[in-house]
Amino acid sequence: MIADTNYDRVIEINYPNKDIVWSWEPKLINWTAVNPKWDSAHYYNNPLVYDFTHVNDVDFYQYNSWNACLISLRNFDLIVEVNYTAEILGPANNPDNIIWWYGDYGNESMVSRQHNPDYLNNGNIIIADSLRDRIVEINRTTKQIVLQYDEGLRWPRDADEIGPNRLLITDCFNNRVIEINKTSKEIIWQFDKNIVIPYEADLLENVNILISGDYAGVVLEVNRDGKIVWKYGKSIIKSAFYLNASFLALMSVNGILYQLSILFNIEISKKEKIRRIIILCIWSIVLILCLAIIFAYNSALRGLTQLSYSVIGKEMF
Ligand SMILES: [Ca+2]
Ligand SMILES: [Ca+2]
Ligand SMILES: [Ca+2]
């Protein structure tokens, strides 16, 4: 099961033949049927915008007689629980199959641009409420916040319950992963070296922590003494070069096309023409350099993407 962010959908694919066997698409749902307050003018019912849902997490859960998917729609400021069993039996994308939800677009009293909600063993839901720099635990029945942790966090994107009373938090913009005691809120472990804007962290069976690096281009396995025991990916610097080169390549193509449009379409003086040609040459050199960097570092980054999926995939199952 995959949170397919760029296509604004959740898909289930067959293994190993990769056929899509189920697709859940928020743009096909009549959200007014979920909550009458969300009328036809509401954001949820108007999908023709870029990055409409930014769906960023799906967790599968087995109740006694039915199965559920907990889905995070980041740009909706909304988390929904979908009755997967009913979806498979009847027509998909049925609003009646959204049996629980938390959040409301733009309503700051709940969650804003959240990440990675998880079911907890006590029946509650824990959420990284990223824009509000906090972790919240919600009672699923009453929707009341039963725990809030917001001490110094900046854009947290993951909070895993990793033992009795212990939370592992990926505190992205502070470039660190911390473990806290839920009751005392004391930090009992911290790793803040060699990571830039981490995306998520998982406890491994050997009690080490696996940290997925997002933009940093590196995945780390760290032990409880804070020592890196395994690393995947090239380096933070190469990834930074790659990503910035990709962005600059697009800008230079745009720059080249713009200069060409002026040279071919407008009557300009000879002096101005020379100036435009020089700018055109500079953009061309930039483009060639960017393409060289993209080509050189591409394979390292592809490997990273696959590993990031496996990190996230492990948690889903
Ligand atoms: Ca999750
Ligand atoms: Ca999590
Ligand atoms: Ca995690």
Side-chain angles (χ1 to χ4, degrees), residues 26-161:
K27 67 172 184 287
L28 300 178
I29 288 170
N30 171 12
W31 289 92
T32 311
V34 181
N35 181 355
K37 265 175 56 193
W38 300 332
D39 61 17
S40 59
H42 193 276
Y43 180 82
Y44 299 166
N45 287 315
N46 291 276
L48 297 176
V49 292
Y50 172 70
D51 207 14
F52 175 52
T53 64
H54 199 104
V55 55
N56 62 9
D57 191 29
V58 54
D59 289 355
F60 193 76
Y61 190 77
Q62 291 176 293
Y63 289 99
N64 286 334
S65 57
W66 59 286
N67 296 329
C69 289
L70 187 69
I71 299 169
S72 166
L73 302 153
R74 192 198 80 161
N75 287 0
F76 276 25
D77 301 328
L78 183 72
I79 292 156
V80 295
E81 188 179 47
V82 173
N83 184 331
Y84 171 84
T85 309
E87 279 278 303
I88 291 295
L89 291 174
N93 301 300
N94 182 348
D96 295 342
N97 293 339
I98 296 174
I99 44 143
W100 183 88
W101 48 269
Y102 183 79
D104 190 7
Y105 182 73
N107 181 342
E108 295 237 325
S109 70
M110 286 181 268
V111 284
S112 299
R113 298 303 190 255
Q114 78 288 338
H115 288 79
N116 210 329
D118 288 344
Y119 291 100
L120 298 184
N121 291 332
N122 62 7
N124 292 342
I125 308 285
I126 195 157
I127 308 161
D129 187 7
S130 308
L131 191 62
R132 305 189 64 203
D133 298 323
R134 62 178 188 164
I135 303 300
V136 285
E137 183 177 328
I138 307 297
N139 179 307
R140 191 182 167 287
T141 311
T142 64
K143 296 190 182 179
Q144 296 298 307
I145 294 174
V146 294
L147 175 119
Q148 167 165 318
Y149 180 80
D150 59 1
E151 292 171 33
L153 298 181
R154 287 168 64 212
W155 194 254
R157 285 189 289 187
D158 187 25
D160 294 351
E161 191 172 65

Side-chain angles (χ1 to χ4, degrees), residues 137-249:
E137 183 177 328
I138 307 297
N139 179 307
R140 191 182 167 287
T141 311
T142 64
K143 296 190 182 179
Q144 296 298 307
I145 294 174
V146 294
L147 175 119
Q148 167 165 318
Y149 180 80
D150 59 1
E151 292 171 33
L153 298 181
R154 287 168 64 212
W155 194 254
R157 285 189 289 187
D158 187 25
D160 294 351
E161 191 172 65
I162 58 167
N165 228 13
R166 290 156 60 213
L167 282 182
L168 183 71
I169 298 171
T170 307
D171 186 11
C172 300
F173 286 167
N174 282 328
N175 304 311
R176 63 176 185 166
V177 172
I178 57 173
E179 181 183 341
I180 64 156
N181 178 303
K182 266 170 82 171
T183 317
S184 69
K185 299 189 173 173
E186 191 187 348
I187 294 176
I188 45 187
W189 182 82
Q190 166 159 330
F191 182 80
D192 59 4
K193 301 178 295 262
N194 305 86
I195 48 172
V196 179
I197 318 179
Y199 189 85
E200 90 147 290
D202 285 351
L203 176 73
L204 299 177
E205 278 168 25
N206 63 6
V207 305
N208 289 345
I209 304 292
L210 190 65
I211 301 168
S212 136
D214 197 354
Y215 302 111
V218 188
V219 173
L220 301 175
E221 181 184 347
V222 174
N223 72 12
R224 291 319 184 101
D225 299 325
K227 208 175 143 214
I228 298 166
V229 295
W230 182 80
K231 183 171 122 176
Y232 186 86
K234 291 290 179 196
S235 77
I236 291 166
I237 291 168
K238 282 182 182 174
S239 297
F241 266 109
Y242 177 90
L243 290 164
N244 285 303
S246 307
F247 180 64
L248 201 55

